[in-house]
């Protein structure tokens, strides 16, 4: 029921106070999972496989988010999550950051929140000296792709896949450390 209610929230007013927070916040796992599950179910037909994958993998990651090479960056107005992105500096091996769980609430689309989150994410990656950052997404998420490419990511691979429980054209993007 809460997932259905979140789809019907009023858009955020352009006059709001944005609070960017780094690290774990109470309710982050459920809020990020709900944003992903409801958006991708409504727009792309993703189901329980995707929701379980987000919840399980995000929960495991949050167990080690306080280690220096990992972070999650979230945007709030008051206690309402507007968007989030996480960087896992451990799961892909030394020197490679894994950008994961990037999402912006549909009620906050077009307000520049994704851009702000990505600016903080790339600053984190550069600060810790990762040689590269990788992310997986799928074809058709044009607004997100624009943010990725504007942030220095390049599309390096496309292939049909079902890692999220629905057949899509999966895309792998890589951003190399600026010189």
């Amino acid at each position: 029921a809460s997932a259905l209610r979140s789809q019907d929230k009023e858009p955020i007013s352009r006059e709001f106070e944005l609070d960017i927070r780094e690290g774990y916040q109470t309710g982050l796992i459920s809020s990020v999972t709900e944003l992903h599950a409801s958006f991708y179910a409504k727009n792309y037909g993703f189901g329980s496989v995707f929701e379980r994958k987000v919840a399980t993998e995000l929960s495991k990651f949050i167990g080690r988010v306080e280690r220096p090479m990992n972070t999650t960056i979230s945007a709030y107005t008051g206690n309402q999550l507007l968007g989030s992105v996480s960087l896992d500096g451990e799961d892909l091996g030394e020197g490679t950051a894994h950008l994961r769980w990037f999402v912006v609430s549909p009620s906050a689309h077009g307000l520049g929140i994704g851009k702000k989150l990505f600016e903080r994410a790339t600053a984190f990656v550069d600060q810790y000296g990762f040689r590269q950052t990788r992310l997986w997404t799928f074809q058709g998420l044009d607004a997100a792709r624009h943010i990725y490419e504007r942030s220095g990511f390049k599309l390096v691979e496309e292939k049909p896949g079902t890692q999220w429980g629905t057949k899509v054209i999966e895309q792998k993007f890589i951003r190399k450390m600026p010189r």
Side-chain angles (χ1 to χ4, degrees), residues 21-24 28 61-62 65 70-74 84-86:
R21 304 176 193 168
E22 197 164 325
Y24 174 74
L28 186 69
F61 169 74
I62 291 297
V65 74
N70 303 318
T71 195
T72 188
I73 304 162
S74 304
S84 188
V85 65
S86 295

Side-chain angles (χ1 to χ4, degrees), residues 103-169:
V103 67
V104 174
S105 171
S107 66
H109 284 180
L111 300 178
I113 292 168
K115 180 182 173 200
K116 285 179 174 55
L117 290 170
F118 250 73
E119 287 170 354
R120 290 281 291 267
T122 55
F124 176 87
V125 166
D126 294 347
Q127 174 188 345
Y128 281 94
F130 288 101
R131 289 188 313 274
Q132 67 177 334
T133 306
R134 292 186 200 165
L135 69 86
W136 278 98
T137 187
F138 62 93
Q139 194 175 70
L141 297 173
D142 297 333
R145 182 176 178 164
H146 177 73
I147 292 171
Y148 304 153
E149 290 175 338
R150 186 175 177 166
S151 300
F153 283 83
K154 306 274 187 241
L155 178 63
V156 297
E157 184 178 344
E158 279 188 311
K159 65 181 181 180
T162 58
Q163 71 171 305
W164 298 297
T166 300
K167 189 173 181 178
V168 293
I169 302 298

Side-chain angles (χ1 to χ4, degrees), residues 32 37-38 80 93 110:
V32 168
S38 59
Q80 181 183 356

Side-chain angles (χ1 to χ4, degrees), residues 15 23 29 42 52 55 73 98 107 126 128 152 156 171-172:
E15 297 177 18
I29 297 167
K42 180 179 179 181
R52 283 191 322 269
I73 304 162
H98 190 182
S107 66
D126 294 347
Y128 281 94
V156 297
Q171 297 176 318
K172 179 177 166 183

